[in-house]
């Protein structure tokens, strides 16, 4: 995604009228001024004033983003919004042992005190890192308080207000842009130290307000910290025994994730060890937006907050479109098509997408008549300085029916990351058996690659990967067995969604796997 300063930025590409793929160098342009798309076979006509250049296939960059539906102003820096649980359960204490001259002194700190300390340390960290950073605070119990940057009277939302999504969204959008931290540090610290735990957990409304506040500035981050299930009406995750309540709340958080994604807001969810917060549903906010999901010891919250903040966003409003020839299609994408479209919102340098595609069985002989097949990627995105770009990468990949040649061309790192990400994605979508089947199939393929002499020296890499994959083809199998035995003789005729039975630990593990990248393969099980 990072631009090369020597890259030739063009005005606009020549697109196919049938599928919007870009005209490739090897396409035929005849005397009648027509060219045939290699992806959808559509015939395209060039107008008299069209300028056609025969270019090498590869990497082209264009200014502007005609495919983007959002217009953003980058006059203001992205925000960091802390959305903090101050419900009654935050008064629960944790033992702290202090060594004073070899005499152990046992003390107890509440979760609230741990969060206050973590926020205080994180504000100091942010101030030192970039004093112009804009930070806002939202708290929730049986009411939601919008403190903003701490320099104005907080807005308190309660009662019927917490039942109206449109009202909550409007109140969040109406909040003024926070001033730079250099001007608000002391005010925010003072508020944080005065926070008191009480009441219920209106997490659903607080998340909506926080995302609405952040939506005014793409690339903003919302950090939700909680120690319990949302238990007020909107987004309730406490009383989900009734299936319609469960599905309604699950949809609520899915829609919130879509709202954040639409405005390139990154949401991270941090919960406290020893609690049950329904991460399988709540974690969707992070999963959709590229944020983190984690369960943390209360005294390690500061490290987690800072880790989230340090992930640098390099582009916003990111959209991807991948073109294959019509003889091929993408697997597990909801429909059998040769074009894949994805929206990412904000991305970091480590953002990775992996997918699978295949050849229609009826088209295999046709494909083998070619020595190469084309593939093309369109990336539209906005840089942090507000410039929009359209990047097009085109390649022709060789075709072979020789197994040895295919093995030699496989990038082991790509395949390993894909196996982790893809299996985890299927599991979180509730397709646990399919996830395990895919994981075992990919393991078999990777074993073949590893046995090839080209990869003899990669034993450590393989061991790390195998440890990462174990939860999918071992732990999930055990989970399914336990889940099945619990159902025997107890309302076994009632079908319970698999994801609904996931624990927070199980969900955290799978969400971590979905974010797999090369440098964290060995850390996924930590």
């Amino acid at each position: 995604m990072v631009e090369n300063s020597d890259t030739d930025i063009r005005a606009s590409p020549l697109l196919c009228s049938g599928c919007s793929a870009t005209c490739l160098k090897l396409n035929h342009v005849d005397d009648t001024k027509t060219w045939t798309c290699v992806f959808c076979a559509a015939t395209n006509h060039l107008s008299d004033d069209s300028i056609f250049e025969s270019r090498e296939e590869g990497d082209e960059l264009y200014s502007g983003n005609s495919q983007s539906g959002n217009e953003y102003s980058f006059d203001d820096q992205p925000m960091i919004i802390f959305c903090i649980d101050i419900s009654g359960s935050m008064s629960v204490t944790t033992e702290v042992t202090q060594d004073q001259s070899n005499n152990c002194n046992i003390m107890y700190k509440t979760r609230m005190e741990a969060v206050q300390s973590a926020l205080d340390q994180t504000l100091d960290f942010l101030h030192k890192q970039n004093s112009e950073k804009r930070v806002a605070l939202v708290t929730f119990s049986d009411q939601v308080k919008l403190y903003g940057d701490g320099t104005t009277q907080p807005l308190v939302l309660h009662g019927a207000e917490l039942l109206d999504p449109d009202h909550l969204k409007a109140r969040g959008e109406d909040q003024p842009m926070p001033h730079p931290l250099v001007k608000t540090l002391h005010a925010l610290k003072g508020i944080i130290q005065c926070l008191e735990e009480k009441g219920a957990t209106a997490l659903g409304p607080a998340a909506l307000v926080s995302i609405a506040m952040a939506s005014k500035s793409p690339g903003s981050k919302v950090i939700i910290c909680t120690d319990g299930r949302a238990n007020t009406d909107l987004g309730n995750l406490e009383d989900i025994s009734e299936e319609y309540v469960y599905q309604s709340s699950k949809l609520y958080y899915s829609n919130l994730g879509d709202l954040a994604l639409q405005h390139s807001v990154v949401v991270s969810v941090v919960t406290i060890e020893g609690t049950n917060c329904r991460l399988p549903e709540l974690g969707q906010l992070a999963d959709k937006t590229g944020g983190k999901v984690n369960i943390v010891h209360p005294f390690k919250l500061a490290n987690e907050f800072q880790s989230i903040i340090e992930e640098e966003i390099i582009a916003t409003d990111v959209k991807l479109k991948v073109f294959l020839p019509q003889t091929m299609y993408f697997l597990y994408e909801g429909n059998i098509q040769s074009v894949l479209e994805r929206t990412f919102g904000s991305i970091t340098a480590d953002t990775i997408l992996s997918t699978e595609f295949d050849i229609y069985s009826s088209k295999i002989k046709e494909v083998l008549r070619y020595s190469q097949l084309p593939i093309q990627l369109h990336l539209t995105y906005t840089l942090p300085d507000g410039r929009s770009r359209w990047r097009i990468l085109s390649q022709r990949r060789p075709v072979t029916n020789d197994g040895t040649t295919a093995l030699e061309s496989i990038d082991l790192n790509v395949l390993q990351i894909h196996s982790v990400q893809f299996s985890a994605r299927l599991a979180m979508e509730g397709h646990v058996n399919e996830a395990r089947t895919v994981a075992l199939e990919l393991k078999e393929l990777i074993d073949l690659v590893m046995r090839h002499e080209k990869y003899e020296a990669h034993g450590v890499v393989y061991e790390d990967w195998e440890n990462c994959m174990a939860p999918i083809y071992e732990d999930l199998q055990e989970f399914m067995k336990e889940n099945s035995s619990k159902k025997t003789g107890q309302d076994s005729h009632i079908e319970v969604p698999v994801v609904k039975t996931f624990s927070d630990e199980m969900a955290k593990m799978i969400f971590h796997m979905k974010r797999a990248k090369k440098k964290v393969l060995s850390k996924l099980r930590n």
Side-chain angles (χ1 to χ4, degrees):
M1 189 63 68
V2 179
E3 293 183 26
N4 186 319
S5 58
D6 298 326
T7 302
D8 178 19
I9 300 178
R10 306 178 186 276
S12 61
L14 189 61
L15 299 179
C16 170
S17 59
C19 67
S20 300
T22 302
C23 182
L24 298 183
K25 176 180 182 292
L26 297 182
N27 288 353
H28 177 63
V29 180
D30 60 23
D31 294 337
T32 61
K33 287 193 172 182
T34 63
W35 58 277
T36 302
C37 177
V38 297
F39 296 102
C40 71
T43 299
N44 296 271
H45 297 271
L46 297 171
S47 59
D48 292 336
D49 58 351
S50 294
I51 300 174
F52 177 80
E53 295 180 52
S54 180
R55 300 173 183 155
E56 293 290 340
E57 297 170 22
D59 190 347
E60 293 184 288
L61 193 63
Y62 298 87
S63 61
N65 188 351
S66 60
Q67 295 181 342
S68 173
N70 292 326
E71 291 293 332
Y72 291 131
S73 168
F74 276 71
D75 295 334
D76 297 301
Q77 283 194 13
M79 293 178 271
I80 296 173
I81 299 176
F82 290 98
C83 182
I84 304 298
D85 186 349
I86 61 166
S87 63
S89 58
M90 292 293 284
S91 61
V92 173
T93 59
T94 301
E95 183 180 298
V96 183
T97 303
Q98 293 183 329
D99 186 0
Q100 296 179 340
S101 302
N102 296 321
N103 292 320
C104 288
N105 184 25
I106 297 177
M107 300 174 58
Y108 293 89
K109 276 191 176 183
T110 66
R111 292 171 183 168
M112 176 57 70
E113 289 174 324
V115 170
Q116 288 171 316
S117 176
L119 288 172
D120 193 73
Q121 293 177 55
T122 303
L123 288 177
D124 286 335
F125 167 80
L126 278 167
H127 185 261
K128 183 177 181 181
Q129 183 191 59
N130 180 4
S131 62
E132 295 300 308
K133 188 71 72 175
R134 300 176 188 270
V135 180
L137 175 67
V138 174
T139 64
F140 58 93
S141 54
D142 51 2
Q143 59 186 16
V144 176
K145 270 193 178 183
L146 285 68
Y147 288 97
D149 63 13
T151 61
T152 59
Q153 192 70 17
L155 173 64
V156 182
L157 303 173
H158 55 86
E161 291 179 292
L162 302 182
L163 302 175
D164 187 345
D166 292 334
H167 176 76
L168 293 167
K169 184 172 180 286
R171 296 290 73 76
E173 292 171 342
D174 289 344
Q175 286 294 295
M177 180 67 69
H179 292 95
L181 188 56
V182 66
K183 298 180 180 179
T184 66
L185 178 64
H186 296 297
L188 282 170
K189 282 193 165 197
I191 291 169
I192 288 165
Q193 291 311 311
C194 293
L195 294 177
E196 295 182 358
E197 59 271 31
K198 61 179 180 179
T201 309
L203 191 159
L208 172 52
V209 167
S210 300
I211 291 169
M213 288 174 62
S215 67
K216 296 182 293 185
S217 186
S220 292
K221 295 182 178 181
V222 173
I223 301 175
I224 298 173
C225 180
T226 185
D227 75 333
R229 300 188 189 191
N231 57 17
T232 57
D233 289 342
L234 199 62
N236 190 323
L237 292 172
E238 179 74 25
D239 304 315
I240 55 174
S241 57
E242 294 290 340
E243 186 60 19
Y244 78 93
V245 175
Y246 172 71
Q247 291 299 336
S248 176
S249 293
K250 185 177 179 182
L251 179 62
Y252 176 78
Y253 291 106
S254 178
N255 289 341
L256 275 191
D258 290 338
L259 176 65
L261 187 64
Q262 177 186 347
H263 295 284
S264 294
V265 173
V266 178
V267 183
S268 291
V269 178
V270 181
T271 67
I272 295 175
E273 274 185 10
T275 64
N276 183 350
C277 305
R278 289 307 306 168
L279 280 182
E281 295 76 37
L282 187 59
Q284 293 180 88
L285 293 171
D287 186 45
K288 284 194 172 188
T289 62
K292 294 180 68 176
V293 177
N294 215 352
I295 302 171
V296 181
H297 189 280
F299 302 145
K300 295 183 179 179
L301 285 169
N303 291 337
E304 187 65 20
F305 291 163
Q306 292 170 31
S307 171
I308 292 168
I309 289 165
E310 284 182 318
E311 286 199 323
E312 181 184 1
I313 292 172
I314 62 172
T316 60
D317 196 28
V318 181
K319 295 181 177 64
L320 171 70
K321 198 170 185 179
V322 187
F323 298 87
L324 298 173
Q326 288 195 318
T327 53
M328 306 175 74
Y329 63 97
F330 289 95
L331 292 166
Y332 303 106
E333 297 297 340
N335 49 55
I336 303 176
Q337 294 184 357
S338 59
V339 179
L340 172 66
E341 295 188 65
R342 287 281 186 87
T343 297
F344 288 86
S346 296
I347 65 167
T348 69
D350 288 326
T351 302
I352 296 174
L353 166 70
S354 68
T355 188
E356 286 189 31
F357 50 83
D358 202 352
I359 303 169
Y360 290 109
S361 56
S362 61
K363 302 289 185 180
I364 292 177
K365 289 184 179 179
E366 178 183 338
V367 167
L368 288 174
R369 289 201 292 265
Y370 295 93
S371 61
Q372 295 179 321
L373 288 174
I375 185 170
Q376 190 173 93
L377 282 73
H378 290 196
L379 274 169
T380 60
Y381 56 96
T382 302
L383 295 168
D385 61 9
R387 291 176 298 159
S388 57
R389 292 288 182 262
W390 188 352
R391 187 173 176 184
I392 298 175
L393 297 93
S394 305
Q395 288 188 7
R396 290 181 183 265
R397 305 296 297 180
V399 176
T400 181
N401 59 358
D402 180 75
T404 301
T405 302
L407 283 176
E408 290 177 350
S409 69
I410 289 175
D411 186 319
L412 187 62
N413 288 326
V414 170
L415 189 58
Q416 288 177 327
I417 291 171
H418 170 71
S419 66
V420 176
Q421 282 190 350
F422 208 60
S423 302
R425 172 188 151 189
L426 290 173
M428 190 47 72
E429 289 174 354
H431 308 300
V432 175
N433 290 327
E434 292 91 334
R436 187 170 181 274
T437 299
V438 168
L440 290 171
E441 289 175 349
L442 289 170
K443 182 180 185 297
E444 186 176 334
L445 176 58
I446 290 173
D447 286 342
L448 281 174
V449 174
M450 291 300 300
R451 286 199 293 271
H452 194 277
E453 60 182 8
K454 182 180 178 181
Y455 293 105
E456 277 185 353
H458 290 239
V460 175
V461 175
Y462 179 81
E463 185 177 336
D464 286 342
W465 166 81
E466 192 168 38
N467 288 336
C468 295
M469 287 299 294
I472 291 293
Y473 53 76
E474 292 177 6
D475 295 5
L476 271 182
Q477 184 182 28
E478 282 301 311
F479 168 79
M480 292 299 289
K481 285 181 180 178
E482 292 175 9
N483 196 43
S484 178
S485 64
K486 286 178 184 177
K487 283 201 254 182
T488 303
Q490 301 181 14
D491 296 327
S492 56
H493 64 284
I494 300 175
E495 187 63 31
V496 178
V498 172
V499 176
K500 188 176 179 180
T501 63
F502 282 175
S503 65
D504 279 10
E505 284 289 346
M506 179 72 75
K508 183 199 82 167
M509 175 194 72
I510 296 173
F511 282 131
H512 280 208
M513 293 175 74
K514 288 187 70 176
R515 281 171 52 91
K517 50 197 114 173
K518 181 179 178 181
K519 70 180 182 181
V520 298
L521 275 175
S522 60
K523 302 177 184 178
L524 285 173
R525 299 199 69 181
N526 294 340

